[in-house]
Each structure stands twice: as structure tokens, then as C-alpha cells.
Amino acid sequence: MAGNHLEEKFKSERLRMVEEQIAHRGVRDPKTLEAMRSVRRHLFVDPSHIFSAYDDRPLPIGQGQTISQPYIVALMTEALKLRGGESVLEIGTGCGYAAAVLKEAGANVVTIERIEELVTLSRENLKAAGYDDIKVICGDGTLGYEDDAPYDGIVVTAGGPTVPEHLKHQLKIGGRLVVPVGPSSWNQRLVRVTRTGEETFEEEDLGGVCFVPLIGEEGWDQSKSWT
């Protein structure tokens, strides 16, 4: 009974989160909203933060990384304009939460994480939450994942200095890449890149954001300081 009561409490908090933190701020896509209502975020946070799972803020997940604020996850999912059945590559798996949201929104998801400990954590979390059909790869996400390319959508959950060229060229024609770009953690813009031809792309600015650094060959050098 205690477990059922706790699940009902979390469900109530999740529904309130979607209404007050996400829909109220302008996210309108039905698939995104339903995905945010469905994924049990408390299964992806560190147990010490479980009662903060539906708060309007990021939370630490270890290894210097965070689970993103729910609104940001919803905003980036909506920006992909998913209609169902698309192939989506996620860069920066973290704890697996955003990958689960993408799956619930109708995507076939491959996700890459550079930190081995988080690869293990995300696989465990996704399996426990019922998403064991999501492929989790350990590697340099700035280079994408050629094996399953091209993709209808690519979403990057860390901020880089520029839009990675490898990712742009792993999009299908008409595909969308959503990525934070900027010179520092406190000066980033969320950019949507749409591939319009073999060598042509269009960029849109979706607003200011704040993400952990995108580390890799086409991102930041891990040995350098980050501010």
C-alpha cells in the first residue's frame, strides 16, 4: 500500500509539473506533453533527490552532470517536431530521462554518453522504467553515431562552442538538430538546425539556455577550464 500511495503522489506531482512548469510556459505539442506526463522522472534521479524529482530545476546525477530541468527537456523535444516513428540520436544520455521522453514521444532512440559510469546508470534506469529497447552507446557524442545515420532528429544535451559538423551531416534532408551553443555555460543559445540540402542548412535561435559543457573532438577540451 505504501508503494502504491507513493506512486500516486508522484503521478500527481508529474501532472502538476506538466501543467504549471511546461504547458504554462508555452509548450503545446501534444506528443511532448503526453510524454512528459508518462515518464516517471523519479526513477531517473538519484535516490537522495527522489522527492525533488518533479521540481522546476536540474538535479545532480553524479560525475559532475545533471538531469535537466523538466521544461528544458520538453522544449528540446518539442523543437524536434516529432510525429511518430522518427529515428532520433541523443547526445549526452546522462541518467536516461530525456531518452525515455523521446521514446514516449514516438521516436526510435539511439543515445550516446561519454562517461562510462553514466552509461551503466542510464541503462539500469531505462530498464527499470521499461525502456530497455533504447540503444545506449559509450563514445564521443560530438562525432555522432554513423552506424544508424542518417537521422530525422538529433538532440544535444550539453553546450558546445559551435554546432558540430559531424552531427549536421548525419541528418536526413529535412531533419532537425537541436543544440545549445555559446562561449560559456552562462552565455548559450538553443539553436535548431534544419538540413535543407546536401550542403545547406538553416539555423533558428530558440532562446537562452544554460548547459554543462559538451566535451569531445567537436566540443570543448576537457583539460581546459569552463566558466
Side-chain angles (χ1 to χ4, degrees), residues 22-223:
I22 298 169
H24 184 70
R25 287 180 177 152
V27 174
R28 294 287 180 263
D29 175 53
K31 284 186 176 295
T32 298
L33 294 175
E34 189 54 38
M36 297 298 293
R37 293 186 189 103
S38 299
V39 179
R40 294 171 291 170
R41 194 169 189 260
H42 60 278
L43 298 182
F44 292 88
V45 303
D46 186 276
S48 64
H49 294 284
I50 192 168
F51 292 107
S52 301
Y54 299 100
D55 288 357
D56 186 22
R57 60 190 176 101
L59 295 169
I61 57 172
Q63 310 302 318
Q65 305 299 302
T66 60
I67 179 174
S68 293
Q69 175 189 16
Y71 168 70
I72 292 296
V73 175
L75 179 67
M76 296 179 79
T77 301
E78 182 180 55
L80 290 174
K81 298 185 178 181
L82 301 175
R83 293 297 172 259
E86 292 93 345
S87 59
V88 172
L89 174 65
E90 180 195 35
I91 309 303
T93 316
C95 62
Y97 174 69
V101 170
L102 291 167
K103 182 67 178 180
E104 283 287 353
N108 298 309
V109 183
V110 177
T111 179
I112 303 180
E113 172 56 55
R114 69 181 179 86
I115 301 173
E116 291 186 9
E117 290 86 352
L118 294 182
V119 171
T120 300
L121 173 67
S122 61
R123 286 174 177 163
E124 291 173 350
N125 288 345
L126 288 165
K127 183 176 182 180
Y131 302 103
D132 51 2
D133 56 346
I134 292 175
K135 184 189 294 187
V136 183
I137 306 295
C138 186
D140 181 353
T142 70
L143 302 180
Y145 186 65
E146 286 281 4
D147 288 9
D148 289 339
Y151 301 95
D152 296 293
I154 301 176
V155 61
V156 184
T157 65
T162 58
V163 178
E165 288 295 318
H166 277 82
L167 300 186
K168 289 168 61 176
H169 286 88
Q170 287 180 26
L171 287 172
K172 295 179 182 177
I173 305 298
R176 300 174 183 88
L177 163 63
V178 179
V179 53
V181 176
S184 72
S185 60
W186 302 108
N187 186 11
Q188 298 172 350
R189 308 298 294 181
L190 188 63
V191 174
R192 176 166 58 202
V193 179
T194 301
R195 188 171 193 177
T196 56
E198 285 298 326
E199 295 297 332
T200 57
F201 303 86
E202 291 182 354
E203 291 191 11
E204 303 167 75
D205 187 331
L206 303 182
V209 289
C210 179
F211 279 82
V212 296
L214 177 66
I215 304 296
E217 186 173 321
E218 286 203 51
W220 296 101
D221 184 340
Q222 189 175 15
S223 67

